Amino acid sequence: MRTHFCGLVDEALIGQTVTLCGWTDVARNLGGVCFIDLRDHEGIVQVTVEPDAAEVYAVAEQLGYEDVLQVEGVVRARHSVNDKIRTGKVEVIASRITVLNKAAPLPFHAHENPGEDIRLQYRYLDLRTPDMQRKQRTRIKLVQALRRWLDGRGFQDIETPILTKATPEGARDFLVPARMHPGEFYALPQSPQLFKQILMVAGFDRYYQIARCFRDEALRADRQLEFTQLDMEFAFVEERDVQDTVEAMIRDIFKEVVDVDLAAQFPRMTWAEAMRRFGSDKPDLRIDLELQDVAELVKGSEFKVFSDWAEHPEGRIAALRVPAGAAFSRKQIDDYAAHAAKYGAKGLAYIKIGDDGAVNSPIAKFFSEDAFAALIKAIGLQNGDLVFFGAGKYNVVSDFMGALRLKVGKDTGRVAAGWAPLWVTDFPMFEWDEDAQRYVALHHPFTAPAVDDIADLRANAKTAVSRGYDMVLNGNEIGGGSIRIHRPDMQSTVFELLGIGAEEAEAKFGFLLDALKYGAPPHGGIAFGIDRIAALMAGTDSIRDVIPFPKTTSAQCLMTGAPSPIADEQLAEVHIQVRPRK
């Protein structure tokens, strides 16, 4: 139907007859001459209809937005060059226009921003826009480049099951009724974790997969119910073997896809240091603000919140100095306190030092003159600065002060340009779940502890460190992995510490424990979030922009209407009866 793409028509075709197909981006009748911007996936070219072509002109006069056209004509140099488009030096003089499909009046135009719900309802129109085409192409180029890189280095692309077994860890599973096994269910995989470990036992050595994964969890800008990850696993490796390989991959991929030169060697930071300095296990190093621990400096104050938490064995009192922050109004300070409250803060104390040295603080009266001066000096507070304080349990303070650091940094323009990659290592093996009154795995229950001795792990479970690691880029965790447990006795011990008894472990993970008995090699791996990396490359904050058909934050597909009710006949086939909604 066509000889060339619209966006690829150039000066080399001048004088030649071409046939193009695409959509009417804009049609303009300028009193005797019609100009049509014809668009396909490669771009836009100007089609000109001159008045002496009466039949063609009659068709052009009736065109509307997004009509689907076939145009035949001769390529000619443009009198007025348009430097904003790739085809801006040429135009096509139409000798024939065929309307292949007339578009109905549009719910929104490509040059409007109607709001995300409308965009998602009419996703096919949204995806036609040049910006969305660019973002989707960035994702496509990313996946192609990853496959080429891995295929060229001996990694084997192996598919793993989509219908699998439910697991008791992580987010909720999506369940699929098994029609041939009444009352039993498959689960959609949250990741291919267990299968890729078993592939290492099977001797495949280097595995990868561009895998679809499913988690029934709350949605955010960087979370979806179904998502895509690059899954990788290596046999006979330690941490640096995995890290050095994938670091080189990410560096090469960013150069190829978006022409970005990442650091020649990514810095490394332990989880403990990241939480202490930045209040986050995925710190954005482009922001030059850091937290400071000041518990020792405020122990003797009469401010009970400080003095109590300063003596508490699990307490933390952290300070965040904001240069030039004394210019913040009381409303801005209150807004920051409200933001911190979303992450668990019970309050946010502060000290302002005016340009003239005057102190403005609701807590200054609780300190002696010498103690207050020592606190100011230790924090490095200068005239014109402000410092926020958070007090409470260590992890809670880290969370809300870390969130505060990010917001203040962005609001005050302290996010440096460029790219800041980072490895975060030495994560805690477990964290205590107050509600469940048991340990949960910080990464997942198949991550190896840093100690090989089972007795040592049992005795020091609270402070045990894992062999887990994350790759962080500009404050986003783009990849997470670990060295895995390859001994069945250690795996059984970790299950036990997580409150998974022997009977439950056998029912849920018996196939893994059996596999580990038969010569499982030491192995490790990592998984990268394709959606997150694509969003970073495309310069967007939401992964929904780089997923062709995403769900909303309320877990719906507005275009298809999913999820939707199922007929009783279909439910009966899979032996399910739906309870009435209360």
Side-chain angles (χ1 to χ4, degrees), residues 222-533:
D222 65 344
R223 295 280 177 90
Q224 282 280 299
L225 300 178
E226 52 180 318
F227 56 94
T228 306
Q229 66 185 35
L230 166 61
D231 222 63
M232 303 174 67
E233 199 76 7
F234 308 63
F236 301 106
V237 289
E238 296 183 337
E239 289 89 332
R240 286 301 291 256
D241 298 316
V242 177
Q243 293 167 12
D244 289 347
T245 299
V246 300
E247 181 179 315
M249 177 188 73
I250 292 296
R251 192 181 298 109
D252 290 348
I253 294 306
F254 266 78
K255 182 64 177 176
E256 178 179 346
V257 177
V258 287
D259 196 24
V260 165
D261 292 304
L262 296 179
Q265 186 169 357
F266 296 179
R268 282 169 165 73
M269 183 181 300
T270 65
W271 176 89
E273 181 184 355
M275 298 303 289
R276 176 175 56 81
R277 293 174 58 190
F278 305 107
S280 172
D281 58 5
K282 50 181 180 181
D284 190 341
L285 299 186
R286 298 173 303 165
I287 299 173
D288 61 358
L289 303 175
E290 291 195 23
L291 306 183
Q292 299 177 62
D293 286 314
V294 296
E296 291 298 320
L297 296 166
V298 301
K299 276 185 175 178
S301 78
E302 296 178 11
F303 188 43
K304 188 170 175 56
V305 173
F306 281 4
S307 57
D308 285 354
W309 282 112
E311 298 291 348
H312 196 289
E314 296 181 5
R316 182 178 193 186
I317 303 173
L320 178 68
R321 172 178 165 260
V322 184
F328 289 171
S329 67
R330 181 55 189 266
K331 181 182 184 306
Q332 286 176 295
I333 291 173
D334 289 344
D335 288 344
Y336 283 125
H339 181 74
K342 296 176 185 176
Y343 297 86
K346 297 285 198 283
L348 203 60
Y350 67 90
I351 298 171
K352 271 188 185 185
I353 306 292
D355 291 333
D356 58 358
V359 174
N360 178 351
S361 170
I363 63 170
K365 61 187 177 183
F366 296 106
F367 291 83
S368 69
E369 186 175 331
D370 289 343
F372 191 77
L375 179 63
I376 295 298
K377 182 178 179 181
I379 294 170
L381 215 58
Q382 306 291 322
N383 287 359
D385 292 351
L386 172 145
V387 60
F388 287 114
F389 296 94
K393 279 195 171 182
Y394 193 94
N395 287 346
V396 175
V397 171
S398 299
D399 286 346
F400 72 72
M401 291 298 284
L404 180 66
R405 171 185 173 268
L406 285 177
K407 182 166 177 57
V408 170
K410 291 174 181 177
D411 290 351
T412 57
R414 303 187 71 89
V415 182
W419 300 85
L422 170 72
W423 282 108
V424 178
T425 65
D426 301 322
F427 281 77
M429 186 73 183
F430 309 111
E431 59 183 347
W432 184 254
D433 186 323
E434 288 287 351
D435 295 332
Q437 286 294 294
R438 66 179 181 90
Y439 287 117
V440 294
L442 200 66
H443 260 89
H444 55 59
F446 318 107
T447 296
V451 297
D452 288 329
D453 184 81
I454 288 177
D456 189 342
L457 179 64
R458 288 184 186 279
N460 300 289
K462 184 176 182 180
T463 57
V465 172
S466 78
R467 299 180 71 181
Y469 39 81
D470 285 355
M471 185 185 287
V472 176
L473 184 61
N474 291 4
N476 298 272
E477 178 211 326
I478 62 170
S482 67
I483 299 300
R484 323 302 190 188
I485 298 169
H486 68 281
R487 287 166 34 202
D489 56 344
M490 178 63 81
Q491 186 64 79
S492 294
T493 299
V494 169
F495 284 153
E496 181 186 332
L497 290 170
L498 292 170
I500 301 172
E503 188 174 330
E504 182 183 4
E506 181 61 32
K508 299 290 187 181
F509 303 110
F511 63 98
L512 173 67
L513 294 170
D514 283 346
L516 296 181
K517 295 175 184 176
Y518 297 110
H523 59 282
I526 193 166
F528 287 96
I530 296 289
D531 310 308
R532 291 183 186 178
I533 296 174

Side-chain angles (χ1 to χ4, degrees), residues 1 18-19 47 53 56 59 70-73 93-98:
M1 293 186 73
V18 298
T19 303
V47 174
V56 182
V59 175
Q70 182 187 55
V71 173
E72 185 177 316
I93 307 303
S95 57
R96 180 175 60 84
I97 296 178
T98 303

Side-chain angles (χ1 to χ4, degrees), residues 543-578:
I543 63 171
R544 289 192 289 273
D545 285 344
V546 294
I547 297 174
F549 303 103
K551 305 292 188 291
T552 66
T553 52
S554 58
Q556 294 175 295
C557 174
L558 298 181
M559 186 183 75
T560 64
S564 59
I566 297 297
D568 290 341
E569 294 81 1
Q570 280 185 277
L571 291 174
E573 286 181 350
V574 291
H575 317 286
I576 286 180
Q577 184 175 9
V578 178

